[in-house]
């Protein structure tokens, strides 16, 4: 059974760092031979996080956890009472979100963008472990944002406006604006 457990892997920045106020996320990557009901997750640390598990169609499991207290935690991920590959994980959760949000770097098409082209914004949260954001864009045309977690602490956001003009982009983590947000983007 230990070999079957070692075939399971976990991915995500928040296995190693994140924020007490969360949400913090990681993914458990299983294979078709695994019964996800045999997965066990436990935390050791200053408080017991609230945890939510969502099994996807491919049997991978999205894990979201939130705790009110920062500090050093151990995340134990087991399958049928055996540790999965890399577990337990040492995770440092920062307790004060606002100073950490201020360390996030936003670059790319945040001042100027091109009409009818894929414009890319890079959100770099690797120094602080943030990879989940909310976004809202307003402007002369609908410019849907698509997000891609680059699995290195950065997120790429792409948008393709169909009309020229000025667009307003608001990027937030919890209720805090990211540095520079709201952005005024001129589309030519």
């Amino acid at each position: 059974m230990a070999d079957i457990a070692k075939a399971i892997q976990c991915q995500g920045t928040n296995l190693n760092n994140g924020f007490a106020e969360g949400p913090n996320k990681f993914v458990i990557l299983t294979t078709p031979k695994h019964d996800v009901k045999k997965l066990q997750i436990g935390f050791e640390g200053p408080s017991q996080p609230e945890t939510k598990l969502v099994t996807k169609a491919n049997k991978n499991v999205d894990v979201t956890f939130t705790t009110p207290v920062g500090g050093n935690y151990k995340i134990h991920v087991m399958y049928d009472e055996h540790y999965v590959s890399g577990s337990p994980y040492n995770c440092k959760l920062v307790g004060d979100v606002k100073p950490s949000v201020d360390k996030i770097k936003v670059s790319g098409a945040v001042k100027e963008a091109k009409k009818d082209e894929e414009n890319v914004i890079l959100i770099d949260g690797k120094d602080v472990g943030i990879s989940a954001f909310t976004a809202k864009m307003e402007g002369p045309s609908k410019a849907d944002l698509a997000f891609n977690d680059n699995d290195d602490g950065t997120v790429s956001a792409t948008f393709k406006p169909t009309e020229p003009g000025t667009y307003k982009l608001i990027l937030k983590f919890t209720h805090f604006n990211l540095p520079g947000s709201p952005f005024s983007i001129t589309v030519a």
Side-chain angles (χ1 to χ4, degrees):
M1 274 300 174
D3 289 343
I4 292 174
K6 289 292 180 194
I8 296 174
Q9 296 187 354
C10 299
Q11 284 184 347
T13 305
N14 296 140
L15 283 167
N16 304 110
N17 55 53
F19 291 93
E21 293 89 349
N24 299 289
K25 299 179 180 186
F26 66 91
V27 178
I28 302 171
L29 304 170
T30 66
T31 66
K33 66 183 173 189
H34 292 107
D35 177 1
V36 295
K37 292 179 189 149
K38 292 184 179 182
L39 284 170
Q40 302 156 301
I41 298 174
F43 291 84
E44 271 181 73
S47 73
Q48 190 60 36
E50 182 180 308
T51 308
K52 180 181 174 188
L53 306 175
V54 176
T55 304
K56 301 192 296 194
N58 62 4
K59 289 182 74 177
N60 289 340
V61 179
D62 285 339
V63 179
T64 305
F65 64 97
T66 306
T67 178
V69 179
N72 294 318
Y73 288 79
K74 274 195 186 218
I75 303 172
H76 300 270
V77 182
M78 301 178 86
Y79 180 79
D80 203 16
E81 299 186 20
H82 296 288
Y83 279 107
V84 305
S85 183
S87 180
Y89 299 92
N90 292 316
C91 181
K92 181 177 175 72
L93 297 179
V94 176
D96 193 350
V97 174
K98 178 62 176 144
S100 299
V101 168
D102 288 341
K103 294 177 186 169
I104 294 173
K105 299 171 191 89
V106 182
S107 60
V110 292
K111 291 183 180 170
E112 295 178 352
K114 295 189 173 159
K115 173 180 164 295
D116 295 323
E117 288 186 27
E118 289 286 332
N119 297 278
V120 180
I121 296 170
L122 185 68
I123 305 163
D124 182 346
K126 61 183 154 213
D127 289 342
V128 291
I130 296 177
S131 61
F133 309 98
T134 58
K136 182 179 176 184
M137 183 171 269
E138 301 168 348
S141 71
K142 189 173 181 181
D144 290 332
L145 287 162
F147 291 91
N148 182 52
D149 187 337
N150 300 321
D151 292 327
D152 63 356
T154 66
V155 174
S156 297
T158 58
F159 64 101
K160 187 176 181 180
T162 57
E163 297 293 328
T166 302
Y167 291 74
K168 182 169 126 180
L169 171 63
I170 301 167
L171 289 173
K172 291 186 173 193
F173 179 76
T174 65
H175 56 279
F176 297 107
N177 281 332
L178 298 190
S181 179
F183 298 95
S184 182
I185 303 169
T186 303
V187 174

